[in-house]
Amino acid sequence: MTAFSRRAAAGSQATPPDASDPLAALGQLPGVGDAVDSVRKAVDQVYGHRVMRRRSSEVTAEAALRGSRGSAALAGADWALEEVRRRTDFSGEPEARTVGAALRLSAEAGQLLSIWRQSPLRVLARLHLVAAADSGDTVGRPRLAGEKADEPLIELPLPGAEEVAVRLEGLSQLVIRGSSAPALVTAAVVHGELLALRPFGSCNGLVARGAERIVLIGSGLDPKSICPAEVGHAELGRAAYVAALDGYVSGTPEGMAAWIVHCGRAVELGVRESTAVCEAMQRGAA
């Protein structure tokens, strides 16, 4: 059982915890149900927009661009959207490579949905390979003993390689077994666990947010990938992101609920962004 599995069991007071589905217990934490309902309502509204009937592929493409920009901003490359749209060369300076990595991850995520439920560790390795391909780092495998992780946004103690391996395997088994937990809960746990572990030598934040996106798409909550949570995470700000992650890592019911609610708010802000895109298309402004 992973660390968050034990926390989930301890945090649910409404019903006896199901050891085979620890994520479901997190859905019963105070405030989480309201966040899940709010996200579902927001997602349903944007999917019902009339623009989605004919131009959903354009909305998906714009959401991918904006989500990439948001994820890169959290990783320290806070570029204007139009600069990301205009730029064709993402080699050279570190910020450009970060933006390029975020764009590549967005493009790759949709190709990995069928693999995720069978082999999440393989998908995570692939995401890191795609993100860090031009970094010069060892790519596509978790850290070994003695290797460090470069993730300047996260200043939490870095778990050792042995702990990383055990917890990654636990996370993988939970994904493979499936859960009755709402998609928001699963996505938030995948995201939070990867940030807490920082399993790779670099690009951990980008990979964690890419994995969150895969869960949201693959779960059926956002099958067309038009609700970029990365936009919301960036809009809520780096300080709020780190503070919410601290709650997740604390393992307390209150902290974990706060992280899930934070992730829900990020999805809602992503929905708002895509709703604005739909409105602009309807007016002929995009």
Side-chain angles (χ1 to χ4, degrees):
M1 181 180 287
T2 65
F4 64 81
S5 302
R6 293 191 294 273
R7 297 165 192 158
S12 174
Q13 302 299 323
T15 60
D18 179 358
S20 67
D21 190 5
L23 296 180
L26 296 177
Q28 300 175 21
L29 293 176
V32 172
D34 290 341
V36 167
D37 291 343
S38 184
V39 166
R40 169 53 69 187
K41 181 179 179 181
V43 171
D44 287 347
Q45 286 179 341
V46 72
Y47 270 82
H49 198 288
R50 62 187 302 177
V51 166
M52 289 295 295
R53 300 173 194 167
R54 295 178 179 271
R55 303 179 67 181
S56 65
S57 61
E58 295 174 63
V59 180
T60 296
E62 189 65 19
L65 183 73
R66 293 175 185 231
S68 298
R69 194 216 72 82
S71 191
L74 283 172
D78 192 0
W79 286 16
L81 178 64
E82 290 311 311
E83 175 64 13
V84 178
R85 194 190 307 279
R86 179 194 67 79
R87 191 77 167 255
T88 56
D89 180 9
F90 295 97
S91 60
E93 71 272 24
E95 285 195 6
R97 293 200 301 272
T98 296
V99 175
L103 289 167
R104 292 193 300 272
L105 282 176
S106 288
E108 188 75 11
Q111 310 302 314
L112 299 172
L113 295 174
S114 63
I115 305 172
W116 173 254
R117 286 296 299 274
Q118 285 74 43
S119 183
L121 296 183
R122 179 181 167 194
V123 169
L124 293 175
R126 175 62 184 172
L127 290 176
H128 186 247
L129 178 65
V130 168
D134 61 356
S135 68
D137 299 328
T138 301
V139 298
R141 64 155 176 81
R143 293 182 283 112
L144 301 177
E147 293 181 341
K148 302 298 183 182
D150 180 15
E151 190 59 44
L153 178 62
I154 309 301
E155 297 180 355
L156 296 165
L158 186 67
E162 184 176 351
E163 180 180 352
V164 167
V166 171
R167 289 173 62 177
L168 278 180
E169 180 60 29
L171 181 64
S172 174
Q173 290 305 311
L174 285 177
V175 170
I176 291 169
R177 285 199 299 267
S179 172
S180 63
L184 172 64
V185 172
T186 303
V189 167
V190 168
H191 184 174
E193 192 73 356
L194 292 173
L195 278 181
L197 292 177
R198 283 148 290 161
F200 301 106
S202 60
C203 300
N204 287 289
L206 294 174
V207 169
R209 292 183 288 275
E212 178 186 51
R213 167 105 326 261
I214 287 174
V215 174
L216 293 172
I217 299 169
S219 67
L221 177 65
D222 181 22
K224 294 183 182 292
S225 191
I226 62 167
C227 307
E230 304 94 330
V231 168
H233 286 303
E235 186 171 336
L236 290 168
R238 300 176 80 184
Y241 187 66
V242 171
L245 178 64
D246 285 345
Y248 175 86
V249 173
S250 76
T252 66
E254 297 80 7
M256 297 198 73
W259 169 251
I260 296 168
V261 170
H262 181 87
C263 290
R265 181 59 180 149
V267 175
E268 290 187 70
L269 290 171
V271 168
R272 187 178 72 178
E273 186 88 354
S274 287
T275 300
V277 169
C278 289
E279 292 293 328
M281 289 182 176
Q282 186 169 293
R283 293 193 307 269

